[in-house]
Amino acid sequence: MGKWTDGAGSLVVPGGPAEVPLEVAASYRARRRGLLGRDGVAGALLIVRTNSVHTFGMRFAIDVAYLDRSFRVLSVVTMRPGRLGMVRPRARHVLEAEAGALAGWGVRAGVRVRVDLTEGPGRGGPTGAPTPGG
C-alpha cells in the first residue's frame, strides 16, 4: 500500500448495508486521538498501521475489528471504557464503531471488508490506491 492520510470514505461489507460512513485516522495525532472525548460515532473509524487499541478515557463501549493487510477481519471484540486490548500480531489496521454496530453490519471474523475513500488530495487512503483492500 501507499501512504495513508487522514480523511473520510465509506466502509462496504459484503451482504451488509450499502455503505457505512467511515473516518480514516492515519496521522500520529489522529490515531492517538481516535474516539477519545466523543459521545458516539456516526459510522466507523479506521485506524491504520496499528494492531492494538485501548479505551482509557472513552465515554462509551466500542466494537473493535482487527484487520489484516488485505482487510480481512481477524477478530471482533467489544471493549468497555478503561480497557487495554490485546496485541494482534497479524493485524495491520483496526476498525472501531459503537458497541453492537459491527455485528449489525455483518462484520465478523473471516469477512473481507472494503474501504472506499473520498476522492481528492489529502482525503484518506494510500496514494494511488482509491480502494485499498477492494
Side-chain angles (χ1 to χ4, degrees), residues 27 30 33 62 72 96 107 111 122:
S27 68
R33 183 182 60 239
I62 60 171
R72 186 168 311 278
E96 297 180 347
V107 176
V111 170

Side-chain angles (χ1 to χ4, degrees), residues 16-79:
E19 290 184 350
V20 175
L22 183 71
E23 180 181 339
V24 178
S27 68
Y28 174 77
R29 182 177 180 198
R31 289 170 53 225
R32 184 170 168 84
R33 183 182 60 239
L35 296 175
L36 295 176
R38 299 186 194 187
D39 292 321
V41 58
L45 173 69
L46 176 68
I47 304 175
V48 299
R49 298 182 317 270
T50 193
N51 61 6
S52 177
V53 296
H54 69 82
T55 58
F56 298 118
M58 297 283 295
R59 296 179 181 165
F60 57 98
I62 60 171
D63 283 344
V64 178
Y66 295 90
L67 310 174
D68 68 10
R69 67 181 77 240
S70 66
F71 290 83
R72 186 168 311 278
V73 178
L74 300 172
S75 65
V76 178
V77 298
T78 299
M79 294 178 63

